[in-house]
Amino acid sequence: MATDNSTPVSALSELQQTTDFTRRHIGPDADQTAAMLADLGVGSIEELMTQTVPDSIRLDDALAMEDSVSEADALALLRSLADQNTVNRSYIGMGYHNTQVPNVILRNVFENPGWYTAYTPYQPEISQGRLEALLNYQQVVMDLTGMDLANASLLDEATAAAEAMTLCKRSNRKKTDVYFVADDVHPQTIDVIKTRAAYFGFEIVVGNPVTDLENHDVFGVQLQYPSTYGDITDIKTLIDNAKAQKAMVSVAADPLALVLLKSPGELGADVVLGSSQRFGVPMGFGGPHAAFFAASEKLKRSVPGRIIGVSIDANGNQALRMAMQTREQHIRREKATSNICTAQALLANMASFFCVYHGPDGLKTIAERVHRLTAILANGLKAKGVAVNDTYFDTLTLTLPETAAEVYQRALDAGCNLRQIGADKLGIALDETTTPADVADLFDVVLGTGHGLNVADLDAEIVAGAATGITAEMRRNDAILTHPTFNSYHSETDMLRYMKKLENKDYSLVHGMIPLGSCTMKLNATAEMIPVTWPEFSNIHPFAPADQVTGYHKMLSSLEEQLVEITGYDAVSLQPNSGASGEYAGLLAIRKYQASIGEGDRNICLIPSSAHGTNPASAAMADLKIIVTRCDEKGNVDVADLRAKAEQHKDDLSCLMITYPSTHGVYEEDIVEICEIIHKNGGQVYMDGANMNAQVGISKPGVIGSDVSHLNLHKTFAIPHGGGGPGMGPIGVKSHLAPFLASHKVSPVAGLNPENGAVAATPYGSASILPITWMYNKMLGKSGLKRSTQVAILNANYMAEKLSVHYPVLYRGRNNKVAHECIIDIRPLKEASGVTEEDISKRLMDYGFHAPTMSFPVPGTLMIEPTESESKVELDRFIDAMIQIKAEIEKVQSGEWPADNNPLCRAPHTQADIMVDDWSRPYTREEAVFPSRSARENKFWPTNNRIDNVYGDRNFICSCPSIETYMED
Ligand SMILES: *Cc1c(COP(=O)(O)O)cnc(C)c1O
């Protein structure tokens, strides 16, 4: 072929790298950006910033960080850190175990954007897939625990135990404030329970439940089954003793052990909780994994977190949705006792698929095998005179008064991590991946070579009747996982198709934009996701020895530096597992700081009426008294009201919780003054960082005057939402609060007092997803981060401008501009036509969209946040749909379509709808399901008609539908 010289290029530097990440992360290209700016009548994006962002908070200087790095280079840099981690064979246990993630689940769920980019299933008609998977999770939990109901996950076992404590308190009439925690509960759980108890005013007694319980008058008891040392405690007797004094009992249990053991439900527990990590979710140096939480029927309205329930749709078909959604943070706000919002949906789904794939027989085989290998190890060691526990499932505690240190070191030399318990004991926990060869190695480690033990011989002795660690009395004899779902998909083909069937029911970012205001559904880039499953990040125990995780620590420090620079704070804690737990951790830092300067009595928390429900819920958990301050008609904090209340309470003022830009999507001009008012009256400022996507690179909370913020890494910093979690909510603080950040008893955080107490089970929360944010910051660099914020603001203003012709935009800031999101007011239209914000949300599904945030923060509105990742083409497609919907509303208003029979009130439409023989509606089938060209070209089919929330709450069911309903089908 001849060379084409017609387009000479002047220099290599002008050939932009195709791997330039900023260009890939940001949706609009140069032409689209120019067109949107022109539509807004603004000359440049810098001018838009001048018009939009108050001068008092706008940064003059660029962020002090490097500039963007290509995908390949960033991955190579991270690889060099990962290589500094050592992946030892872990026998540490303590609630974290090696597991074999089935590859079919690894690739098709964990690494699949169809699963990980979905949002919390607020729109159930386009979320039936993950709702079914989560319902399966609840069924697994109910079966294994023997309880009446279960939720769809909590953040981790330790915080689940803390939730159980508060549930016991409010469900119990006893007057005492004493809570008893067995001394053989996992130490990290005790740590978190103590932290949580302090501000609820509970007294924690840690003791031996067999001998000490009767000496205390308690409202509840926390047990561990099997115990942290491996013993299968006789929890029946302990539960009976607790019940005798009318105390409630929460049991933390190991789900794999429960496959063989009598269920705590059968033995009388009120609450059963634990971690489903070992059901096919990697340890990840601490997470993310799903905690489970099950309770008896009478506690159903008090269970924290989200519960998936069965209901029906408008056609009477069975359908799933989140049950009792309006409780907790939404209605109870300051009366709430739990602040759970983001949980661990993706990981709960993985665990439930693990059980679907293995089925009851597969799980039993796994559990029996682990137990058999443990019995072989126990019997061999006992034969050689080593003292180990008599009862066990998979964990042994060896008492080695002379040789513990030596054995521990020999294990390390052999590439194995054991648990150190005091000076003379070692713990060994086996798991699904343990082999007979591993057990042989462990004999060598503990006994030295030449011990003469043989795994096959020991096995033969057990077959012939030698004892194992579970007595006949403690073996469970009821069936588990009898539902057809757990007995149908055991070949890879069947499993693949089942998961794909569910995935296909769910709308995620692979289909189109999810313009949920306050949720920041931006690109979760593949290069950011890839490192999560590198073994050097995923196969590491959270309490692995420090010298095996130097790569992790370098990555974490580097991430902390990035976030310190971006926020303008002095220190960052990476421990909280969600925005809400960040709020809690931040408020604790404030309270402890105030106590340290003799102002521990300050207990008033001001919260503007527009706040997210987690704010008052977190404040209540920190024992703060909430005083709500007003907003003015423009949606801004009413500064006069705020000042008056701050001054009125100046002797007791602890803090203000404020979201910036506000949840109304506006940069309040007075924010600097607001911070000053609070400080002048002795308070601290907590700035909710959920809206950081409107600040990164152009302003900083620390510069504005705030003292502490959480960052939702699953919003602003590219961690995917996972269909309702995981998330991460690290907090940034000014230096005076830094000494009060959460540490960790088992694995203290460098520079902090280990007595600070933990807010999560592990020191760095869900550490294995932190590389996502590290990659995001690295690949965008200082200019890409700033550009992202600018384009997010441009996209929101373009959206507001175009929609405002048809729908009133509720709040605007200076120069009529919005921040990174905008609220459109549906109330006038509703008044005139009867069409509701819900009708519009459901109708958007027919057009191929996920609805915006509905009725938050203002009832009767829609809040739209396009983010920087959506192109002008996608924005226009959404705008066109909204304009067409407006025309449809007008037809209802004019009477052309009846109020109770039109495409809005009957939305969404399904394939079944249009297959009926007698179509007698006043609109056509085409208008129903192909209302626009884009809907026709790229149709996303809702699987259900509108789902009836109230029906499901009145007829509450949170288990898999009965086998009969399958048979009827
Ligand atoms: C999302 C959000 C939160 C809660 O964050 P989670 O990670 O879901 O716990 C708090 N405040 C605001 C304004 C939010 O948008």
Side-chain angles (χ1 to χ4, degrees):
M1 229 210 288
T3 318
D4 178 3
N5 288 329
S6 59
T7 49
V9 174
S10 51
L12 182 60
S13 61
E14 289 180 18
L15 289 168
Q16 194 186 14
Q17 284 230 335
T18 57
T19 50
D20 169 30
F21 180 69
T22 303
R23 192 155 77 88
R24 305 296 185 188
H25 174 73
I26 292 178
D29 62 15
D31 291 345
Q32 293 179 358
T33 306
M36 287 193 283
L37 287 167
D39 267 316
L40 291 171
V42 179
S44 69
I45 207 148
E46 278 70 29
E47 191 184 328
L48 178 66
M49 293 309 110
T50 322
Q51 287 190 9
T52 309
V53 186
D55 305 330
S56 56
I57 66 158
R58 227 171 36 243
L59 296 180
D60 295 327
D61 300 326
L63 292 172
M65 40 198 296
E66 284 168 35
D67 225 327
S68 60
V69 167
S70 74
E71 295 187 22
D73 289 348
L75 281 169
L77 275 171
L78 192 57
R79 168 45 67 194
S80 72
L81 296 181
D83 286 343
Q84 296 171 45
N85 290 337
T86 306
V87 186
N88 259 15
R89 182 88 185 71
S90 177
Y91 296 104
I92 298 172
M94 302 175 81
Y96 301 91
H97 303 267
N98 301 294
T99 178
Q100 203 74 62
V101 186
N103 288 311
V104 67
I105 298 172
L106 177 72
R107 174 154 294 188
N108 297 289
V109 179
F110 202 31
E111 298 178 338
N112 177 355
W115 281 98
Y116 66 66
T117 69
Y119 195 70
T120 303
Y122 282 129
Q123 299 294 339
E125 297 84 359
I126 50 174
S127 312
Q128 289 295 305
R130 60 192 186 279
L131 284 163
E132 179 168 328
L134 291 170
L135 193 76
N136 292 344
Y137 180 76
Q138 293 175 180
Q139 185 71 60
V140 168
V141 173
M142 288 159 63
D143 280 8
L144 290 176
T145 61
M147 302 301 285
D148 303 323
L149 58 111
N151 76 9
S153 77
L154 289 178
L155 295 172
D156 61 28
E157 178 169 327
T159 52
E163 297 282 349
M165 169 178 68
T166 56
L167 185 146
C168 289
K169 176 64 186 170
R170 65 181 182 275
S171 308
N172 192 322
R173 290 211 194 86
K174 279 187 84 174
K175 286 278 171 281
T176 167
D177 282 328
V178 180
Y179 191 66
F180 190 97
V181 182
D183 54 9
D184 56 7
V185 168
H186 291 318
Q188 69 271 19
T189 304
I190 299 178
D191 196 6
V192 170
I193 287 178
K194 283 183 173 167
T195 303
R196 190 76 65 91
Y199 284 94
F200 278 118
F202 304 153
E203 183 194 330
I204 299 298
V205 173
V206 179
N208 180 337
V210 179
T211 54
D212 297 349
L213 180 57
E214 61 183 356
N215 301 327
H216 299 274
D217 179 29
V218 306
F219 68 82
V221 178
Q222 179 66 53
L223 304 173
Q224 185 101 40
Y225 178 66
S227 84
T228 190
Y229 306 115
D231 316 73
I232 301 171
T233 332
D234 173 16
I235 60 169
K236 171 91 175 73
T237 307
L238 298 177
I239 291 172
D240 291 345
N241 290 347
K243 294 263 149 113
Q245 60 156 296
K246 296 203 162 48
M248 294 176 66
V249 181
S250 162
V251 176
D254 177 324
L256 191 61
L258 291 184
V259 172
L260 302 185
L261 295 182
K262 267 207 180 118
S263 74
E266 187 179 337
L267 303 176
D270 298 291
V271 176
V272 186
L273 57 91
S275 166
S276 58
Q277 179 267 319
R278 66 188 312 181
F279 283 178
V281 181
M283 292 185 286
F285 195 42
H289 334 112
F292 60 81
F293 193 99
S296 56
E297 171 73 21
K298 63 177 193 297
L299 299 173
K300 78 175 176 203
R301 304 221 171 250
S302 312
V303 170
R306 297 161 172 150
I307 302 181
I308 308 308
V310 184
S311 190
I312 55 170
D313 72 5
N315 268 338
N317 292 318
Q318 187 169 281
L320 310 176
R321 90 283 172 252
M322 293 193 286
M324 301 181 288
Q325 251 313 279
T326 43
R327 61 202 188 115
E328 279 304 330
Q329 320 110 30
H330 303 281
I331 281 189
R332 294 170 60 178
R333 293 181 73 94
E334 54 272 18
K335 293 205 189 69
T337 44
S338 161
N339 63 350
I340 291 287
C341 182
T342 289
Q344 302 282 17
L346 184 72
L347 305 313
N349 287 335
M350 286 179 70
S352 87
F353 284 134
F354 181 90
C355 296
V356 168
Y357 193 42
H358 289 298
D361 295 339
L363 285 186
K364 262 178 223 151
T365 305
I366 293 169
E368 291 287 10
R369 184 183 154 84
V370 176
H371 181 59
R372 175 65 61 85
L373 289 167
T374 313
I376 290 169
L377 182 64
N379 292 353
L381 292 177
K382 276 187 211 162
K384 294 291 165 186
V386 177
V388 303
N389 32 324
D390 290 330
T391 61
Y392 50 82
F393 165 63
D394 67 353
T395 300
L396 301 178
T397 296
L398 285 54
T399 306
L400 299 164
E402 309 293 323
T403 55
E406 185 190 315
V407 171
Y408 182 77
Q409 185 56 46
R410 201 150 55 215
L412 286 178
D413 295 343
C416 299
N417 293 341
L418 309 185
R419 175 182 179 189
Q420 283 180 302
I421 305 167
D424 62 349
K425 291 192 168 73
L426 293 174
I428 300 181
L430 304 192
D431 59 61
E432 184 196 359
T433 67
T434 310
T435 62
D438 291 327
V439 174
D441 290 345
L442 285 168
F443 284 137
D444 294 348
V445 162
V446 179
L447 305 167
T449 46
H451 48 71
L453 291 171
N454 177 294
V455 171
D457 293 346
L458 288 161
D459 185 43
E461 286 171 23
I462 292 169
V463 174
T468 77
I470 306 178
T471 59
E473 190 192 337
M474 291 309 284
R475 278 213 169 238
R476 85 182 290 156
N477 36 35
D478 55 340
I480 54 164
L481 306 185
T482 53
H483 195 276
T485 302
F486 303 105
N487 294 281
S488 305
Y489 312 108
H490 303 323
S491 77
E492 181 162 332
T493 299
D494 288 340
M495 189 64 198
L496 182 68
R497 289 178 189 160
Y498 177 60
M499 295 190 301
K500 189 55 86 175
K501 181 178 102 175
L502 298 192
E503 181 193 337
N504 286 344
K505 296 180 179 194
D506 287 11
Y507 191 99
S508 69
L509 285 177
V510 308
H511 298 102
M513 76 158 150
I514 303 184
L516 285 165
S518 211
C519 303
T520 316
M521 299 295 288
K522 61 170 63 177
L523 170 74
N524 314 118
T526 314
E528 292 154 2
M529 297 302 295
I530 282 173
V532 173
T533 45
W534 288 349
E536 296 81 1
F537 286 133
S538 70
N539 289 351
I540 295 198
H541 192 284
F543 310 141
D547 61 359
Q548 294 174 18
V549 288
T550 47
Y552 244 123
H553 281 290
K554 284 183 189 171
M555 187 275 291
L556 298 174
S557 308
S558 162
L559 175 61
E560 283 175 16
E561 273 167 36
Q562 292 170 350
L563 298 179
V564 160
E565 175 57 20
I566 286 168
T567 55
Y569 286 122
D570 300 312
V572 164
S573 164
L574 295 171
Q575 190 170 118
N577 275 314
S578 71
S581 53
E583 291 171 17
Y584 178 67
L587 293 174
L588 288 190
I590 288 177
R591 298 222 67 179
K592 290 179 177 177
Y593 161 71
Q594 288 174 335
S596 78
I597 55 168
E599 301 190 353
D601 292 339
R602 293 185 168 276
N603 69 342
I604 299 288
C605 177
L606 301 180
I607 302 185
S609 58
S610 58
H612 193 267
T614 53
N615 290 185
S618 301
M621 288 164 60
D623 193 28
L624 290 164
K625 196 160 161 273
I626 292 137
I627 293 188
V628 178
T629 71
R630 283 198 290 269
C631 291
D632 65 17
E633 74 287 353
K634 283 174 158 168
N636 294 325
V637 168
D638 180 337
V639 179
D641 185 51
L642 180 97
R643 187 195 307 276
K645 285 173 175 155
E647 286 173 358
Q648 184 192 340
H649 296 286
K650 66 178 189 313
D651 295 334
D652 307 318
L653 181 64
S654 174
C655 57
L656 165 76
M657 292 188 89
I658 187 167
T659 305
Y660 199 76
S662 74
T663 53
H664 292 153
V666 176
Y667 292 98
E668 283 157 323
E669 294 280 339
D670 300 325
I671 186 66
V672 175
E673 190 192 346
I674 288 172
C675 294
E676 284 166 6
I677 292 172
I678 297 303
H679 287 142
K680 210 178 286 168
N681 289 289
Q684 295 278 299
V685 177
Y686 186 99
M687 188 175 281
D688 180 325
N691 289 348
M692 269 304 285
N693 214 41
Q695 279 193 52
V696 178
I698 61 170
S699 186
K700 295 179 180 180
V703 170
I704 294 172
S706 169
D707 300 290
V708 44
S709 297
H710 73 260
L711 304 172
N712 300 71
L713 299 189
H714 47 302
K715 294 177 179 173
T716 312
F717 295 93
I719 290 179
H721 280 262
M728 272 298 280
I731 58 174
V733 294
K734 287 277 177 64
S735 57
H736 63 283
L737 297 179
F740 307 101
L741 292 173
S743 185
H744 198 276
K745 279 273 173 56
V746 180
S747 176
V749 177
L752 292 173
N753 182 348
E755 297 305 317
N756 275 8
V759 296
T762 55
Y764 310 102
S766 300
S768 68
I769 53 175
L770 291 173
I772 300 171
T773 296
W774 187 91
M775 285 290 289
Y776 174 82
N777 290 334
K778 250 318 183 240
M779 293 194 296
L780 284 174
K782 60 182 172 195
S783 39
L785 287 168
K786 179 175 178 185
R787 184 80 185 169
S788 296
T789 308
Q790 292 174 327
V791 176
I793 293 168
L794 171 64
N795 277 358
N797 276 287
Y798 176 75
M799 182 74 83
E801 194 60 27
K802 292 283 166 177
L803 289 178
S804 65
V805 182
H806 309 275
Y807 301 87
V809 170
L810 194 52
Y811 301 120
R812 294 175 189 264
R814 52 163 26 200
N815 298 308
N816 244 356
K817 295 293 184 290
V818 299
H820 64 309
E821 60 193 1
C822 65
I823 299 180
I824 58 171
D825 194 354
I826 309 301
R827 291 169 299 186
L829 270 174
K830 190 168 166 182
E831 184 90 351
S833 66
V835 175
T836 67
E837 68 279 8
E838 184 173 33
D839 294 334
I840 297 174
S841 297
K842 303 304 177 187
R843 184 60 175 152
L844 275 167
M845 294 175 190
D846 290 332
Y847 283 84
F849 286 100
H850 190 290
T853 296
M854 209 174 73
S855 293
F856 170 76
V858 184
T861 63
L862 295 175
M863 180 156 68
I864 306 164
E865 179 180 1
T867 84
E868 70 277 13
S869 297
E870 298 299 342
S871 70
K872 180 172 179 293
V873 176
E874 184 69 356
L875 300 189
D876 285 338
R877 198 168 76 83
F878 182 82
I879 291 162
D880 288 346
M882 289 298 289
I883 293 172
Q884 243 183 289
I885 288 175
K886 175 71 186 305
E888 293 177 353
I889 297 172
E890 276 159 8
K891 285 192 187 176
V892 178
Q893 200 173 333
S894 71
E896 188 178 333
W897 282 335
D900 61 352
N901 192 8
N902 61 64
L904 289 145
C905 73
R906 304 195 71 163
H909 297 83
T910 63
Q911 292 187 356
D913 281 340
I914 57 164
M915 292 306 291
V916 295
D917 291 331
D918 52 340
W919 177 266
S920 56
R921 302 188 189 186
Y923 54 96
T924 65
R925 290 176 160 99
E926 186 174 16
E927 283 170 316
V929 300
F930 291 143
S932 67
R933 178 125 73 106
S934 83
R936 182 186 287 274
E937 280 171 359
N938 187 19
K939 181 65 187 172
F940 186 86
W941 289 101
T943 50
N944 284 84
N945 294 109
R946 199 168 313 178
I947 292 169
D948 187 337
N949 285 316
V950 180
Y951 177 91
D953 284 349
R954 265 200 223 114
N955 305 275
F956 180 69
I957 300 173
C958 67
S959 53
C960 287
S962 74
I963 295 166
E964 287 72 47
T965 62
Y966 279 71
M967 289 173 171
E968 279 160 27
D969 290 357

